Amino acid sequence: MSTAFELAAASAATHVAPWWLPGGNAQTIWPALRGRGFDGTAPRFERERWATPDGDFIDVDFLATSNARDEANAPLLVLFHGLEGSSRSHYAQAFAHWATQQGWQFALPHFRGCSGELNLAPRAYHSGDFEEVGWILARLRTRVRQPLLAVGVSLGGNALLRWAEETEGSAAAVVRAMAAVSAPIDLAAGGHAIARGFNRQIYNRMFLRSMKPKALAKLAQHPGLFDRERLLAAADLYAFDDVFTAPLHGFKGTDDYWARGSAKPHLARIRIPTLVLNARNDPFVPAASLPQPHEVGRHVSLWQPAQGGHVGFAAGRFPGRRLGLPEAVMGWLQAH
């Protein structure tokens, strides 16, 4: 008889979207706006503010309604959110609910500027921010005696993979296993995809509508940090990254940032059990850019279902619930 994990894993790896939700865009937008990845009361968080080594801060949300038997002895699930995400994101709520049901601890560190308050330093966050990820994980590791498992979603998934690639064998002392969900592991492919056609009109505009005001607030904090007129004229993520993200984080420009920040070229360096889950109809992550089995090491497993969209995976009758994504992903992690 199949275990619950085997059934969940099979459904995630071979996910078929409901007939009423055709195409990658619908499978992305509907779950984000209308999906609910759990039944019952929404998770409640308690926030901690951490001072960073460079004199800035990050905010970390911890699950407040946990049924953890003993917090120091309960496993800890750490979730790294996507571009402009937070603990309010639909996927964050779903994973936090899973942790509540399992009696686990749960932590969601907000990348700088994503917790609702502008950070202090003349920097923000980016897809290859592995040093920040490493600092966060090392600090969280000291809080638990049991295993620490990590999940990164979209941008957070790429950054988490980059951390594991850079640390190689030493990653196992911090994280037992990890997963990247809908991660744009080829940043150039994803960046160009989001700048074309429907994507440009919907997703590109949505991200810039959030990111530009934050960048302008950062300029008010640090006058002369970048060219204001160039930022205002940026019509896509390539142009935004060229004037803001790349130079503020030590890259020569967008091309340098996207090349050095991408996880795909280094997946064979990972030395801890890692799941990389990407739907092949993800509007942000072209199927042609996804890695093949021969491009990853023995520690990396690839799930690439034909359907699911970007952090979508809706299922069931209309209006549909999201697929039990936490159950499938966490089942894989626990088994490894």
Side-chain angles (χ1 to χ4, degrees), residues 67-105:
N67 294 321
R69 299 169 296 279
D70 173 348
E71 288 206 354
N73 291 313
L76 172 62
L77 170 59
V78 183
L79 183 75
F80 291 95
H81 64 77
L83 183 63
E84 296 299 274
S86 72
S87 59
R88 297 184 301 274
S89 298
H90 66 289
Y91 53 82
Q93 297 274 312
F95 275 96
H97 185 267
W98 180 93
T100 299
Q101 297 300 108
Q102 298 297 318
W104 282 41
Q105 297 184 79

PDB file of all heavy atoms in Angstrom, residues 67-105:
ATOM      1  N   ASN A  67       2.047  23.833  17.736  1.00  0.00           N
ATOM      2  CA  ASN A  67       1.780  22.779  18.716  1.00  0.00           C
ATOM      3  C   ASN A  67       3.065  22.029  19.068  1.00  0.00           C
ATOM      4  O   ASN A  67       3.040  20.883  19.478  1.00  0.00           O
ATOM      5  CB  ASN A  67       0.761  21.783  18.155  1.00  0.00           C
ATOM      6  CG  ASN A  67      -0.593  22.430  17.972  1.00  0.00           C
ATOM      7  OD1 ASN A  67      -1.026  23.221  18.785  1.00  0.00           O
ATOM      8  ND2 ASN A  67      -1.272  22.085  16.873  1.00  0.00           N
ATOM      9  N   ALA A  68       4.176  22.692  18.857  1.00  0.00           N
ATOM     10  CA  ALA A  68       5.473  22.044  19.083  1.00  0.00           C
ATOM     11  C   ALA A  68       5.547  21.485  20.501  1.00  0.00           C
ATOM     12  O   ALA A  68       5.208  22.157  21.470  1.00  0.00           O
ATOM     13  CB  ALA A  68       6.609  23.039  18.855  1.00  0.00           C
ATOM     14  N   ARG A  69       6.003  20.259  20.582  1.00  0.00           N
ATOM     15  CA  ARG A  69       6.081  19.584  21.877  1.00  0.00           C
ATOM     16  C   ARG A  69       7.025  20.338  22.822  1.00  0.00           C
ATOM     17  O   ARG A  69       6.755  20.525  23.986  1.00  0.00           O
ATOM     18  CB  ARG A  69       6.564  18.148  21.662  1.00  0.00           C
ATOM     19  CG  ARG A  69       5.640  17.318  20.793  1.00  0.00           C
ATOM     20  CD  ARG A  69       6.291  16.007  20.381  1.00  0.00           C
ATOM     21  NE  ARG A  69       7.458  16.183  19.541  1.00  0.00           N
ATOM     22  CZ  ARG A  69       7.376  16.403  18.228  1.00  0.00           C
ATOM     23  NH1 ARG A  69       6.206  16.503  17.638  1.00  0.00           N
ATOM     24  NH2 ARG A  69       8.463  16.541  17.506  1.00  0.00           N
ATOM     25  N   ASP A  70       8.127  20.730  22.327  1.00  0.00           N
ATOM     26  CA  ASP A  70       9.133  21.480  23.075  1.00  0.00           C
ATOM     27  C   ASP A  70       9.920  22.213  22.007  1.00  0.00           C
ATOM     28  O   ASP A  70      10.570  21.592  21.175  1.00  0.00           O
ATOM     29  CB  ASP A  70      10.022  20.521  23.864  1.00  0.00           C
ATOM     30  CG  ASP A  70      11.196  21.234  24.535  1.00  0.00           C
ATOM     31  OD1 ASP A  70      11.449  22.409  24.218  1.00  0.00           O
ATOM     32  OD2 ASP A  70      11.874  20.597  25.350  1.00  0.00           O
ATOM     33  N   GLU A  71       9.863  23.516  22.028  1.00  0.00           N
ATOM     34  CA  GLU A  71      10.399  24.270  20.897  1.00  0.00           C
ATOM     35  C   GLU A  71      11.848  23.928  20.590  1.00  0.00           C
ATOM     36  O   GLU A  71      12.238  23.824  19.436  1.00  0.00           O
ATOM     37  CB  GLU A  71      10.232  25.772  21.139  1.00  0.00           C
ATOM     38  CG  GLU A  71       8.786  26.223  21.020  1.00  0.00           C
ATOM     39  CD  GLU A  71       8.678  27.691  20.638  1.00  0.00           C
ATOM     40  OE1 GLU A  71       9.717  28.363  20.581  1.00  0.00           O
ATOM     41  OE2 GLU A  71       7.561  28.133  20.390  1.00  0.00           O
ATOM     42  N   ALA A  72      12.658  23.767  21.616  1.00  0.00           N
ATOM     43  CA  ALA A  72      14.064  23.459  21.367  1.00  0.00           C
ATOM     44  C   ALA A  72      14.238  22.081  20.759  1.00  0.00           C
ATOM     45  O   ALA A  72      15.227  21.812  20.078  1.00  0.00           O
ATOM     46  CB  ALA A  72      14.864  23.563  22.657  1.00  0.00           C
ATOM     47  N   ASN A  73      13.275  21.191  20.990  1.00  0.00           N
ATOM     48  CA  ASN A  73      13.397  19.818  20.515  1.00  0.00           C
ATOM     49  C   ASN A  73      12.558  19.524  19.274  1.00  0.00           C
ATOM     50  O   ASN A  73      12.592  18.415  18.757  1.00  0.00           O
ATOM     51  CB  ASN A  73      12.996  18.849  21.634  1.00  0.00           C
ATOM     52  CG  ASN A  73      13.993  18.846  22.773  1.00  0.00           C
ATOM     53  OD1 ASN A  73      15.190  18.776  22.536  1.00  0.00           O
ATOM     54  ND2 ASN A  73      13.523  18.956  23.997  1.00  0.00           N
ATOM     55  N   ALA A  74      11.785  20.480  18.819  1.00  0.00           N
ATOM     56  CA  ALA A  74      10.962  20.278  17.630  1.00  0.00           C
ATOM     57  C   ALA A  74      11.749  20.662  16.386  1.00  0.00           C
ATOM     58  O   ALA A  74      12.522  21.629  16.401  1.00  0.00           O
ATOM     59  CB  ALA A  74       9.697  21.120  17.719  1.00  0.00           C
ATOM     60  N   PRO A  75      11.578  19.931  15.290  1.00  0.00           N
ATOM     61  CA  PRO A  75      12.248  20.325  14.039  1.00  0.00           C
ATOM     62  C   PRO A  75      11.824  21.726  13.617  1.00  0.00           C
ATOM     63  O   PRO A  75      10.730  22.195  13.951  1.00  0.00           O
ATOM     64  CB  PRO A  75      11.767  19.277  13.033  1.00  0.00           C
ATOM     65  CG  PRO A  75      11.308  18.127  13.866  1.00  0.00           C
ATOM     66  CD  PRO A  75      10.782  18.716  15.128  1.00  0.00           C
ATOM     67  N   LEU A  76      12.680  22.378  12.865  1.00  0.00           N
ATOM     68  CA  LEU A  76      12.425  23.740  12.410  1.00  0.00           C
ATOM     69  C   LEU A  76      12.373  23.774  10.889  1.00  0.00           C
ATOM     70  O   LEU A  76      13.297  23.309  10.214  1.00  0.00           O
ATOM     71  CB  LEU A  76      13.523  24.685  12.899  1.00  0.00           C
ATOM     72  CG  LEU A  76      13.512  26.122  12.350  1.00  0.00           C
ATOM     73  CD1 LEU A  76      12.233  26.848  12.737  1.00  0.00           C
ATOM     74  CD2 LEU A  76      14.742  26.895  12.848  1.00  0.00           C
ATOM     75  N   LEU A  77      11.299  24.326  10.350  1.00  0.00           N
ATOM     76  CA  LEU A  77      11.162  24.563   8.922  1.00  0.00           C
ATOM     77  C   LEU A  77      11.387  26.041   8.659  1.00  0.00           C
ATOM     78  O   LEU A  77      10.710  26.898   9.237  1.00  0.00           O
ATOM     79  CB  LEU A  77       9.765  24.156   8.441  1.00  0.00           C
ATOM     80  CG  LEU A  77       9.388  24.574   7.008  1.00  0.00           C
ATOM     81  CD1 LEU A  77      10.353  23.985   5.988  1.00  0.00           C
ATOM     82  CD2 LEU A  77       7.944  24.171   6.699  1.00  0.00           C
ATOM     83  N   VAL A  78      12.340  26.343   7.786  1.00  0.00           N
ATOM     84  CA  VAL A  78      12.659  27.724   7.412  1.00  0.00           C
ATOM     85  C   VAL A  78      12.214  27.938   5.979  1.00  0.00           C
ATOM     86  O   VAL A  78      12.567  27.153   5.086  1.00  0.00           O
ATOM     87  CB  VAL A  78      14.164  28.010   7.543  1.00  0.00           C
ATOM     88  CG1 VAL A  78      14.453  29.479   7.220  1.00  0.00           C
ATOM     89  CG2 VAL A  78      14.659  27.675   8.942  1.00  0.00           C
ATOM     90  N   LEU A  79      11.444  28.997   5.739  1.00  0.00           N
ATOM     91  CA  LEU A  79      10.951  29.290   4.395  1.00  0.00           C
ATOM     92  C   LEU A  79      11.499  30.631   3.928  1.00  0.00           C
ATOM     93  O   LEU A  79      11.330  31.656   4.599  1.00  0.00           O
ATOM     94  CB  LEU A  79       9.427  29.333   4.381  1.00  0.00           C
ATOM     95  CG  LEU A  79       8.812  29.574   2.995  1.00  0.00           C
ATOM     96  CD1 LEU A  79       8.906  28.322   2.134  1.00  0.00           C
ATOM     97  CD2 LEU A  79       7.357  30.014   3.107  1.00  0.00           C
ATOM     98  N   PHE A  80      12.155  30.628   2.774  1.00  0.00           N
ATOM     99  CA  PHE A  80      12.624  31.856   2.145  1.00  0.00           C
ATOM    100  C   PHE A  80      11.647  32.240   1.038  1.00  0.00           C
ATOM    101  O   PHE A  80      11.393  31.463   0.121  1.00  0.00           O
ATOM    102  CB  PHE A  80      14.035  31.668   1.578  1.00  0.00           C
ATOM    103  CG  PHE A  80      15.086  31.510   2.641  1.00  0.00           C
ATOM    104  CD1 PHE A  80      15.491  30.246   3.048  1.00  0.00           C
ATOM    105  CD2 PHE A  80      15.656  32.624   3.241  1.00  0.00           C
ATOM    106  CE1 PHE A  80      16.453  30.098   4.038  1.00  0.00           C
ATOM    107  CE2 PHE A  80      16.610  32.479   4.240  1.00  0.00           C
ATOM    108  CZ  PHE A  80      17.010  31.210   4.643  1.00  0.00           C
ATOM    109  N   HIS A  81      11.095  33.440   1.139  1.00  0.00           N
ATOM    110  CA  HIS A  81      10.031  33.864   0.236  1.00  0.00           C
ATOM    111  C   HIS A  81      10.563  34.332  -1.116  1.00  0.00           C
ATOM    112  O   HIS A  81      11.775  34.478  -1.327  1.00  0.00           O
ATOM    113  CB  HIS A  81       9.196  34.970   0.893  1.00  0.00           C
ATOM    114  CG  HIS A  81       9.964  36.245   1.169  1.00  0.00           C
ATOM    115  ND1 HIS A  81      10.263  37.158   0.181  1.00  0.00           N
ATOM    116  CD2 HIS A  81      10.467  36.756   2.334  1.00  0.00           C
ATOM    117  CE1 HIS A  81      10.913  38.181   0.707  1.00  0.00           C
ATOM    118  NE2 HIS A  81      11.065  37.954   2.010  1.00  0.00           N
ATOM    119  N   GLY A  82       9.635  34.579  -2.033  1.00  0.00           N
ATOM    120  CA  GLY A  82       9.977  35.010  -3.372  1.00  0.00           C
ATOM    121  C   GLY A  82      10.054  36.524  -3.507  1.00  0.00           C
ATOM    122  O   GLY A  82       9.954  37.266  -2.526  1.00  0.00           O
ATOM    123  N   LEU A  83      10.230  36.995  -4.747  1.00  0.00           N
ATOM    124  CA  LEU A  83      10.352  38.411  -5.044  1.00  0.00           C
ATOM    125  C   LEU A  83       9.150  39.173  -4.503  1.00  0.00           C
ATOM    126  O   LEU A  83       7.999  38.877  -4.852  1.00  0.00           O
ATOM    127  CB  LEU A  83      10.469  38.612  -6.557  1.00  0.00           C
ATOM    128  CG  LEU A  83      10.665  40.034  -7.073  1.00  0.00           C
ATOM    129  CD1 LEU A  83      11.990  40.609  -6.575  1.00  0.00           C
ATOM    130  CD2 LEU A  83      10.608  40.068  -8.596  1.00  0.00           C
ATOM    131  N   GLU A  84       9.403  40.129  -3.618  1.00  0.00           N
ATOM    132  CA  GLU A  84       8.386  40.969  -3.003  1.00  0.00           C
ATOM    133  C   GLU A  84       7.383  40.164  -2.175  1.00  0.00           C
ATOM    134  O   GLU A  84       6.272  40.625  -1.916  1.00  0.00           O
ATOM    135  CB  GLU A  84       7.655  41.804  -4.059  1.00  0.00           C
ATOM    136  CG  GLU A  84       8.548  42.808  -4.777  1.00  0.00           C
ATOM    137  CD  GLU A  84       9.156  43.837  -3.825  1.00  0.00           C
ATOM    138  OE1 GLU A  84       8.500  44.850  -3.549  1.00  0.00           O
ATOM    139  OE2 GLU A  84      10.290  43.606  -3.345  1.00  0.00           O
ATOM    140  N   GLY A  85       7.778  38.979  -1.728  1.00  0.00           N
ATOM    141  CA  GLY A  85       6.914  38.155  -0.892  1.00  0.00           C
ATOM    142  C   GLY A  85       7.049  38.508   0.582  1.00  0.00           C
ATOM    143  O   GLY A  85       7.805  39.411   0.974  1.00  0.00           O
ATOM    144  N   SER A  86       6.326  37.761   1.421  1.00  0.00           N
ATOM    145  CA  SER A  86       6.353  37.983   2.869  1.00  0.00           C
ATOM    146  C   SER A  86       5.644  36.819   3.545  1.00  0.00           C
ATOM    147  O   SER A  86       5.209  35.858   2.879  1.00  0.00           O
ATOM    148  CB  SER A  86       5.653  39.295   3.229  1.00  0.00           C
ATOM    149  OG  SER A  86       4.249  39.173   3.064  1.00  0.00           O
ATOM    150  N   SER A  87       5.460  36.916   4.850  1.00  0.00           N
ATOM    151  CA  SER A  87       4.723  35.874   5.565  1.00  0.00           C
ATOM    152  C   SER A  87       3.237  35.900   5.227  1.00  0.00           C
ATOM    153  O   SER A  87       2.508  34.989   5.598  1.00  0.00           O
ATOM    154  CB  SER A  87       4.912  36.031   7.079  1.00  0.00           C
ATOM    155  OG  SER A  87       4.467  37.302   7.524  1.00  0.00           O
ATOM    156  N   ARG A  88       2.788  36.915   4.511  1.00  0.00           N
ATOM    157  CA  ARG A  88       1.393  36.976   4.068  1.00  0.00           C
ATOM    158  C   ARG A  88       1.169  36.260   2.738  1.00  0.00           C
ATOM    159  O   ARG A  88       0.018  36.069   2.322  1.00  0.00           O
ATOM    160  CB  ARG A  88       0.941  38.429   3.934  1.00  0.00           C
ATOM    161  CG  ARG A  88       0.944  39.201   5.242  1.00  0.00           C
ATOM    162  CD  ARG A  88       0.400  40.615   5.069  1.00  0.00           C
ATOM    163  NE  ARG A  88       1.179  41.371   4.098  1.00  0.00           N
ATOM    164  CZ  ARG A  88       2.285  42.045   4.401  1.00  0.00           C
ATOM    165  NH1 ARG A  88       2.752  42.029   5.629  1.00  0.00           N
ATOM    166  NH2 ARG A  88       2.932  42.720   3.470  1.00  0.00           N
ATOM    167  N   SER A  89       2.225  35.889   2.048  1.00  0.00           N
ATOM    168  CA  SER A  89       2.093  35.213   0.758  1.00  0.00           C
ATOM    169  C   SER A  89       1.351  33.894   0.920  1.00  0.00           C
ATOM    170  O   SER A  89       1.465  33.220   1.948  1.00  0.00           O
ATOM    171  CB  SER A  89       3.469  34.965   0.147  1.00  0.00           C
ATOM    172  OG  SER A  89       4.147  36.189  -0.094  1.00  0.00           O
ATOM    173  N   HIS A  90       0.581  33.514  -0.110  1.00  0.00           N
ATOM    174  CA  HIS A  90      -0.264  32.327   0.010  1.00  0.00           C
ATOM    175  C   HIS A  90       0.537  31.061   0.292  1.00  0.00           C
ATOM    176  O   HIS A  90       0.123  30.221   1.079  1.00  0.00           O
ATOM    177  CB  HIS A  90      -1.121  32.157  -1.257  1.00  0.00           C
ATOM    178  CG  HIS A  90      -0.355  31.856  -2.502  1.00  0.00           C
ATOM    179  ND1 HIS A  90       0.445  32.787  -3.130  1.00  0.00           N
ATOM    180  CD2 HIS A  90      -0.278  30.723  -3.248  1.00  0.00           C
ATOM    181  CE1 HIS A  90       0.986  32.234  -4.208  1.00  0.00           C
ATOM    182  NE2 HIS A  90       0.571  30.993  -4.298  1.00  0.00           N
ATOM    183  N   TYR A  91       1.718  30.934  -0.307  1.00  0.00           N
ATOM    184  CA  TYR A  91       2.531  29.744  -0.084  1.00  0.00           C
ATOM    185  C   TYR A  91       3.128  29.747   1.326  1.00  0.00           C
ATOM    186  O   TYR A  91       3.281  28.695   1.943  1.00  0.00           O
ATOM    187  CB  TYR A  91       3.634  29.638  -1.144  1.00  0.00           C
ATOM    188  CG  TYR A  91       4.485  30.884  -1.288  1.00  0.00           C
ATOM    189  CD1 TYR A  91       5.546  31.151  -0.423  1.00  0.00           C
ATOM    190  CD2 TYR A  91       4.229  31.810  -2.293  1.00  0.00           C
ATOM    191  CE1 TYR A  91       6.315  32.286  -0.543  1.00  0.00           C
ATOM    192  CE2 TYR A  91       4.981  32.956  -2.431  1.00  0.00           C
ATOM    193  CZ  TYR A  91       6.026  33.198  -1.551  1.00  0.00           C
ATOM    194  OH  TYR A  91       6.780  34.341  -1.685  1.00  0.00           O
ATOM    195  N   ALA A  92       3.459  30.925   1.849  1.00  0.00           N
ATOM    196  CA  ALA A  92       3.985  31.000   3.217  1.00  0.00           C
ATOM    197  C   ALA A  92       2.930  30.564   4.228  1.00  0.00           C
ATOM    198  O   ALA A  92       3.225  29.829   5.177  1.00  0.00           O
ATOM    199  CB  ALA A  92       4.450  32.427   3.511  1.00  0.00           C
ATOM    200  N   GLN A  93       1.710  31.002   4.009  1.00  0.00           N
ATOM    201  CA  GLN A  93       0.624  30.600   4.896  1.00  0.00           C
ATOM    202  C   GLN A  93       0.411  29.084   4.848  1.00  0.00           C
ATOM    203  O   GLN A  93       0.164  28.446   5.872  1.00  0.00           O
ATOM    204  CB  GLN A  93      -0.659  31.319   4.477  1.00  0.00           C
ATOM    205  CG  GLN A  93      -0.597  32.829   4.609  1.00  0.00           C
ATOM    206  CD  GLN A  93      -0.954  33.317   5.992  1.00  0.00           C
ATOM    207  OE1 GLN A  93      -1.956  32.898   6.563  1.00  0.00           O
ATOM    208  NE2 GLN A  93      -0.137  34.193   6.553  1.00  0.00           N
ATOM    209  N   ALA A  94       0.517  28.506   3.652  1.00  0.00           N
ATOM    210  CA  ALA A  94       0.294  27.066   3.510  1.00  0.00           C
ATOM    211  C   ALA A  94       1.374  26.252   4.219  1.00  0.00           C
ATOM    212  O   ALA A  94       1.081  25.280   4.921  1.00  0.00           O
ATOM    213  CB  ALA A  94       0.233  26.696   2.028  1.00  0.00           C
ATOM    214  N   PHE A  95       2.640  26.636   4.058  1.00  0.00           N
ATOM    215  CA  PHE A  95       3.717  25.907   4.726  1.00  0.00           C
ATOM    216  C   PHE A  95       3.664  26.113   6.245  1.00  0.00           C
ATOM    217  O   PHE A  95       3.943  25.186   7.006  1.00  0.00           O
ATOM    218  CB  PHE A  95       5.081  26.329   4.170  1.00  0.00           C
ATOM    219  CG  PHE A  95       5.477  25.590   2.924  1.00  0.00           C
ATOM    220  CD1 PHE A  95       5.251  26.134   1.672  1.00  0.00           C
ATOM    221  CD2 PHE A  95       6.073  24.341   3.002  1.00  0.00           C
ATOM    222  CE1 PHE A  95       5.611  25.458   0.518  1.00  0.00           C
ATOM    223  CE2 PHE A  95       6.442  23.644   1.860  1.00  0.00           C
ATOM    224  CZ  PHE A  95       6.210  24.205   0.605  1.00  0.00           C
ATOM    225  N   ALA A  96       3.290  27.316   6.685  1.00  0.00           N
ATOM    226  CA  ALA A  96       3.171  27.556   8.124  1.00  0.00           C
ATOM    227  C   ALA A  96       2.053  26.710   8.719  1.00  0.00           C
ATOM    228  O   ALA A  96       2.178  26.190   9.835  1.00  0.00           O
ATOM    229  CB  ALA A  96       2.912  29.041   8.381  1.00  0.00           C
ATOM    230  N   HIS A  97       0.960  26.559   7.976  1.00  0.00           N
ATOM    231  CA  HIS A  97      -0.132  25.716   8.459  1.00  0.00           C
ATOM    232  C   HIS A  97       0.324  24.268   8.564  1.00  0.00           C
ATOM    233  O   HIS A  97      -0.027  23.563   9.531  1.00  0.00           O
ATOM    234  CB  HIS A  97      -1.336  25.837   7.524  1.00  0.00           C
ATOM    235  CG  HIS A  97      -2.549  25.104   8.006  1.00  0.00           C
ATOM    236  ND1 HIS A  97      -2.832  23.801   7.631  1.00  0.00           N
ATOM    237  CD2 HIS A  97      -3.535  25.462   8.858  1.00  0.00           C
ATOM    238  CE1 HIS A  97      -3.945  23.414   8.218  1.00  0.00           C
ATOM    239  NE2 HIS A  97      -4.393  24.391   8.961  1.00  0.00           N
ATOM    240  N   TRP A  98       1.081  23.801   7.591  1.00  0.00           N
ATOM    241  CA  TRP A  98       1.631  22.434   7.668  1.00  0.00           C
ATOM    242  C   TRP A  98       2.455  22.273   8.939  1.00  0.00           C
ATOM    243  O   TRP A  98       2.316  21.267   9.658  1.00  0.00           O
ATOM    244  CB  TRP A  98       2.490  22.142   6.442  1.00  0.00           C
ATOM    245  CG  TRP A  98       3.078  20.760   6.448  1.00  0.00           C
ATOM    246  CD1 TRP A  98       2.568  19.632   5.889  1.00  0.00           C
ATOM    247  CD2 TRP A  98       4.313  20.354   7.086  1.00  0.00           C
ATOM    248  NE1 TRP A  98       3.385  18.546   6.137  1.00  0.00           N
ATOM    249  CE2 TRP A  98       4.457  18.957   6.878  1.00  0.00           C
ATOM    250  CE3 TRP A  98       5.287  21.024   7.820  1.00  0.00           C
ATOM    251  CZ2 TRP A  98       5.548  18.246   7.358  1.00  0.00           C
ATOM    252  CZ3 TRP A  98       6.377  20.312   8.320  1.00  0.00           C
ATOM    253  CH2 TRP A  98       6.487  18.927   8.082  1.00  0.00           C
ATOM    254  N   ALA A  99       3.305  23.242   9.236  1.00  0.00           N
ATOM    255  CA  ALA A  99       4.138  23.162  10.436  1.00  0.00           C
ATOM    256  C   ALA A  99       3.287  23.123  11.705  1.00  0.00           C
ATOM    257  O   ALA A  99       3.587  22.389  12.648  1.00  0.00           O
ATOM    258  CB  ALA A  99       5.106  24.347  10.473  1.00  0.00           C
ATOM    259  N   THR A 100       2.213  23.908  11.718  1.00  0.00           N
ATOM    260  CA  THR A 100       1.313  23.893  12.864  1.00  0.00           C
ATOM    261  C   THR A 100       0.731  22.507  13.088  1.00  0.00           C
ATOM    262  O   THR A 100       0.700  21.994  14.221  1.00  0.00           O
ATOM    263  CB  THR A 100       0.161  24.895  12.642  1.00  0.00           C
ATOM    264  OG1 THR A 100       0.692  26.213  12.506  1.00  0.00           O
ATOM    265  CG2 THR A 100      -0.812  24.878  13.809  1.00  0.00           C
ATOM    266  N   GLN A 101       0.282  21.886  12.000  1.00  0.00           N
ATOM    267  CA  GLN A 101      -0.335  20.561  12.104  1.00  0.00           C
ATOM    268  C   GLN A 101       0.660  19.494  12.553  1.00  0.00           C
ATOM    269  O   GLN A 101       0.284  18.524  13.212  1.00  0.00           O
ATOM    270  CB  GLN A 101      -0.941  20.169  10.750  1.00  0.00           C
ATOM    271  CG  GLN A 101      -2.063  21.085  10.283  1.00  0.00           C
ATOM    272  CD  GLN A 101      -3.219  21.118  11.254  1.00  0.00           C
ATOM    273  OE1 GLN A 101      -3.438  22.093  11.951  1.00  0.00           O
ATOM    274  NE2 GLN A 101      -3.956  20.027  11.319  1.00  0.00           N
ATOM    275  N   GLN A 102       1.916  19.685  12.205  1.00  0.00           N
ATOM    276  CA  GLN A 102       2.930  18.680  12.523  1.00  0.00           C
ATOM    277  C   GLN A 102       3.618  18.921  13.859  1.00  0.00           C
ATOM    278  O   GLN A 102       4.429  18.103  14.298  1.00  0.00           O
ATOM    279  CB  GLN A 102       3.993  18.661  11.410  1.00  0.00           C
ATOM    280  CG  GLN A 102       3.469  18.280  10.043  1.00  0.00           C
ATOM    281  CD  GLN A 102       2.922  16.868   9.999  1.00  0.00           C
ATOM    282  OE1 GLN A 102       3.521  15.950  10.569  1.00  0.00           O
ATOM    283  NE2 GLN A 102       1.800  16.678   9.329  1.00  0.00           N
ATOM    284  N   GLY A 103       3.316  20.059  14.522  1.00  0.00           N
ATOM    285  CA  GLY A 103       3.999  20.375  15.762  1.00  0.00           C
ATOM    286  C   GLY A 103       5.424  20.815  15.558  1.00  0.00           C
ATOM    287  O   GLY A 103       6.284  20.652  16.435  1.00  0.00           O
ATOM    288  N   TRP A 104       5.695  21.397  14.392  1.00  0.00           N
ATOM    289  CA  TRP A 104       7.035  21.889  14.073  1.00  0.00           C
ATOM    290  C   TRP A 104       7.141  23.369  14.387  1.00  0.00           C
ATOM    291  O   TRP A 104       6.147  24.099  14.441  1.00  0.00           O
ATOM    292  CB  TRP A 104       7.335  21.695  12.590  1.00  0.00           C
ATOM    293  CG  TRP A 104       7.718  20.313  12.181  1.00  0.00           C
ATOM    294  CD1 TRP A 104       7.178  19.133  12.611  1.00  0.00           C
ATOM    295  CD2 TRP A 104       8.712  19.961  11.214  1.00  0.00           C
ATOM    296  NE1 TRP A 104       7.772  18.074  11.978  1.00  0.00           N
ATOM    297  CE2 TRP A 104       8.716  18.547  11.113  1.00  0.00           C
ATOM    298  CE3 TRP A 104       9.589  20.695  10.417  1.00  0.00           C
ATOM    299  CZ2 TRP A 104       9.571  17.862  10.253  1.00  0.00           C
ATOM    300  CZ3 TRP A 104      10.441  20.020   9.563  1.00  0.00           C
ATOM    301  CH2 TRP A 104      10.441  18.613   9.481  1.00  0.00           C
ATOM    302  N   GLN A 105       8.370  23.825  14.536  1.00  0.00           N
ATOM    303  CA  GLN A 105       8.643  25.244  14.513  1.00  0.00           C
ATOM    304  C   GLN A 105       8.677  25.717  13.055  1.00  0.00           C
ATOM    305  O   GLN A 105       8.964  24.929  12.143  1.00  0.00           O
ATOM    306  CB  GLN A 105       9.976  25.558  15.174  1.00  0.00           C
ATOM    307  CG  GLN A 105      10.052  25.199  16.652  1.00  0.00           C
ATOM    308  CD  GLN A 105      11.371  25.621  17.242  1.00  0.00           C
ATOM    309  OE1 GLN A 105      11.582  26.782  17.553  1.00  0.00           O
ATOM    310  NE2 GLN A 105      12.277  24.677  17.391  1.00  0.00           N
TER     311      GLN A 105
END
